[in-house]
Amino acid sequence: LLSCRSNEERPNMTSTIAIKAPRIAFLSGSTRSGSFSTKLISAAERITSNLGATTNMVDLSSYNLPLYNQDLEASAGGIPPAAVDLKSILAEQDAWVISTPEYNGFPTPLLVNTFTWLSRGDSDGQMYSTFANKSAVVLSASPGAMGGMRAINPTRTLLTNLGVNVLAPSAAVGGAFKAFDEDGNLADERQKQMVEAAMTTLFHTARDVANREAACQLIKKHLAGVGQYGEISVPT
């Protein structure tokens, strides 16, 4: 809880607002058994949960979305029920974390197909509504030294085109065969710090978004006013 006291003109007025924990979803672009991307997304989820976020691990294999085909969408009278369910879950989140392997310098077909379905099925005039007001961080992992980093920028571009606020921090975890300890945490301190930095930035951004309405109400109620030249007086 955040308590705020008014200025001297209203000495007896206090307000208390509840600060909501940001809701953050985690998606791996690989459903392979033992996937390094899934290990990385799990490590990132633990870091973010420890920061205070409400986390949601989304297993894309549970949705089994078909390869996108507009004829399929038309014949079914809309997008598949699994896509509707996934859209609903992701729309409820404040932010997303996506981890992807590199396939020839690009994200996996699984991710591209998933986001294609998620971009469909919106009400008239509500294009890309699932992606509205979302922030995201993109991670990658690979046995190679570059850690699959060539897949990060195309994934960032895809999400940006859909209206997502993709944050600058990212992390590419190379040498993924030995990158995780027996508990699934990142073993290399430098790699761990990169992921922690990215998750911390996303956490604070998502928390700001989650509490924007409450912050606006607080500002309107407790700022002493705007001066002649646009200055503001903040109560102490």
Side-chain angles (χ1 to χ4, degrees), residues 9-234:
E9 295 177 0
R10 295 175 293 179
N12 297 319
M13 181 179 292
T14 60
S15 295
T16 301
I17 62 171
I19 299 298
K20 296 186 292 185
R23 298 165 296 180
I24 302 178
F26 293 77
L27 297 82
S28 171
S30 172
T31 57
R32 176 181 65 82
S33 175
S35 161
F36 299 124
S37 289
T38 302
K39 289 182 179 180
L40 177 56
I41 209 72
S42 297
E45 185 275 334
R46 285 190 290 273
I47 291 169
T48 313
S49 179
N50 288 337
L51 290 171
T54 300
T55 59
N56 187 349
M57 291 287 288
V58 178
D59 181 4
L60 295 181
S61 68
S62 300
Y63 296 91
N64 196 28
L65 295 175
L67 184 64
Y68 179 76
N69 184 318
Q70 194 168 13
D71 289 340
L72 177 62
E73 181 181 4
S75 64
I79 65 175
V84 174
D85 292 342
L86 183 56
K87 281 172 70 73
S88 177
I89 290 171
L90 294 181
E92 293 174 350
Q93 311 303 307
D94 299 302
W96 305 340
V97 181
I98 294 101
S99 179
T100 181
E102 178 192 324
Y103 280 23
N104 304 313
F106 286 89
T108 59
L110 172 65
L111 279 179
V112 175
N113 189 59
T114 297
F115 289 128
T116 302
W117 277 116
L118 293 177
S119 71
R120 307 293 297 178
D122 296 323
S123 302
D124 290 343
Q126 301 295 319
M127 188 174 183
Y128 301 155
S129 62
T130 305
F131 306 88
N133 301 315
K134 299 294 183 290
S135 298
V137 160
V138 180
L139 310 174
S140 66
S142 169
M146 294 179 65
M149 67 168 57
R150 291 196 304 165
I152 290 180
N153 279 341
T155 306
R156 289 170 55 88
T157 299
L158 172 60
L159 292 170
T160 300
N161 289 344
L162 294 169
V164 177
N165 173 31
V166 185
L167 304 185
S170 62
V173 174
F177 281 119
K178 58 181 181 180
F180 304 94
D181 63 22
E182 59 184 14
D183 295 321
N185 299 311
L186 286 160
D188 181 82
E189 188 62 27
R190 179 174 173 273
Q191 291 177 336
K192 181 179 179 181
Q193 289 176 357
M194 286 194 303
V195 175
E196 286 178 340
M199 294 305 98
T200 300
T201 299
L202 182 67
F203 171 81
H204 289 294
T205 301
R207 187 178 63 178
D208 290 346
V209 172
N211 292 283
R212 181 177 296 163
E213 182 177 348
C216 288
Q217 292 175 355
L218 192 66
I219 290 170
K220 290 178 181 178
K221 189 169 186 178
H222 292 281
L223 287 183
V226 179
Q228 181 177 359
Y229 298 103
E231 74 277 9
I232 58 175
S233 176
V234 180

